[in-house]
Amino acid sequence: MLIQLIDIEKYYQTGAGKTFVLRNINLEIDQGEFVSIMGPSGAGKSTLLHILGVLDDPSGGSYLLDGHEVSSLSDKHRGELRREMIGFIFQAYHLIDELTVYENIETPLLYRKVKSAERRGMVSDILDRFQIVGKKDLFPAQLSGGQQQVVGVARALISSPRLLLADEPTGNLSSKEGETIMGLFKELHEAGTTIVQATHSEANAAWADRVINLQDGWIT
């Protein structure tokens, strides 16, 4: 079992009361599964992904990631877990405007202190795999939305994460570009990567092994 959520809640204090974003979430995801979390805007999908990615803490409940109770880990250990194990793909790409495609993809390896020669080999391999060698010296502003998202996927995968989290990964793309991204996800899944994507698209959700429906913070 890679992911286990037990009675997870997320709420914010508002005056005398609480505004709930997630309620009583119980979920198990095995290593190698491809899971879609589906629901309308405001359902809590992004919040759930941020908790899964150790970017946010739940207000209550228990989150076990690869057997580790996340709330009991130090900030340093949590940071290591994120770097070593998790890749993120965001709808807004989150590429660094001042860096080239090559430098954006290389960034996670710098955080992991991978040696220069090894970094060069790894970035070259992934540029080749995603057929973006010709774009390596361009900046994000010089790329289409689809190309930026491919770079975002490449950056998320450069360190071979066991868990890939994708938040509306095709939301800003054309249907053709979206198909390309979902095809990449399917290849990664078949190679053993665990994928959790948040989406409001039934077509995208259907690529997964399993669909979890979220409504007003509840699993329905």
Side-chain angles (χ1 to χ4, degrees), residues 38-46 91 168 199-200 214-216:
M38 200 177 172
S41 294
K45 302 188 301 293
S46 293
Q91 180 177 356
E168 298 284 6
T199 183
H200 61 260
L214 208 57
Q215 186 83 32
D216 299 325

Side-chain angles (χ1 to χ4, degrees), residues 62-174:
S62 180
Y63 174 25
L64 279 80
L65 177 60
D66 202 27
H68 302 282
E69 169 53 79
V70 172
S71 65
S72 68
L73 302 177
S74 67
D75 287 346
K76 183 182 178 197
H77 194 167
R78 286 153 67 109
E80 287 170 358
L81 203 60
R82 269 197 305 272
R83 282 195 300 276
E84 300 293 325
M85 205 172 149
I86 303 171
F88 293 94
I89 300 164
F90 300 97
Q91 180 177 356
Y93 319 134
H94 287 328
L95 300 179
I96 301 167
D97 292 338
E98 298 77 22
L99 299 184
T100 64
V101 165
Y102 185 102
E103 291 164 339
N104 266 284
I105 293 171
E106 182 186 40
T107 300
L109 302 179
L110 296 172
Y111 286 125
R112 291 181 67 178
K113 298 182 170 57
V114 176
K115 289 189 168 64
S116 174
E118 190 179 350
R119 281 202 315 271
R120 276 198 301 275
M122 291 169 76
V123 176
S124 294
D125 284 349
I126 210 154
L127 285 167
D128 195 39
R129 177 180 175 187
F130 286 90
Q131 301 175 349
I132 48 175
V133 175
K135 309 253 188 293
K136 68 184 176 68
D137 296 321
L138 298 181
F139 291 91
Q142 297 172 288
L143 304 174
S144 72
Q147 290 165 344
Q148 288 188 56
Q149 191 61 300
V150 169
V151 174
V153 174
R155 181 184 59 186
L157 296 177
I158 188 75
S159 46
S160 300
R162 286 175 59 196
L163 173 61
L164 184 63
L165 300 172
D167 193 1
E168 298 284 6
T170 67
N172 294 325
L173 307 183
S174 71

Side-chain angles (χ1 to χ4, degrees), residues 174-215:
S174 71
S175 55
K176 184 164 185 269
E177 290 169 333
E179 281 271 318
T180 301
I181 297 299
M182 295 313 299
L184 289 172
F185 283 7
K186 199 67 181 173
E187 285 177 30
L188 294 165
H189 169 233
E190 287 168 357
T193 304
T194 306
I195 302 174
V196 183
Q197 71 159 343
T199 183
H200 61 260
S201 161
E202 289 188 11
N204 285 359
W207 287 77
D209 299 327
R210 183 159 56 114
V211 178
I212 308 290
N213 286 292
L214 208 57
Q215 186 83 32

Side-chain angles (χ1 to χ4, degrees), residues 10-66:
K10 182 68 179 181
Y11 58 79
Y12 298 97
Q13 289 293 153
T14 48
K18 297 172 180 174
T19 299
F20 279 85
V21 185
L22 294 173
R23 293 172 179 268
N24 197 35
I25 301 293
N26 289 280
L27 181 62
E28 294 181 348
I29 298 174
D30 287 326
Q31 176 69 50
E33 262 198 286
F34 184 176
V35 174
S36 289
I37 298 168
M38 200 177 172
S41 294
K45 302 188 301 293
S46 293
T47 301
L48 182 54
L49 273 199
H50 284 134
I51 289 171
L52 291 176
V54 200
L55 291 172
D56 196 5
D57 293 320
S59 307
S62 180
Y63 174 25
L64 279 80
L65 177 60
D66 202 27

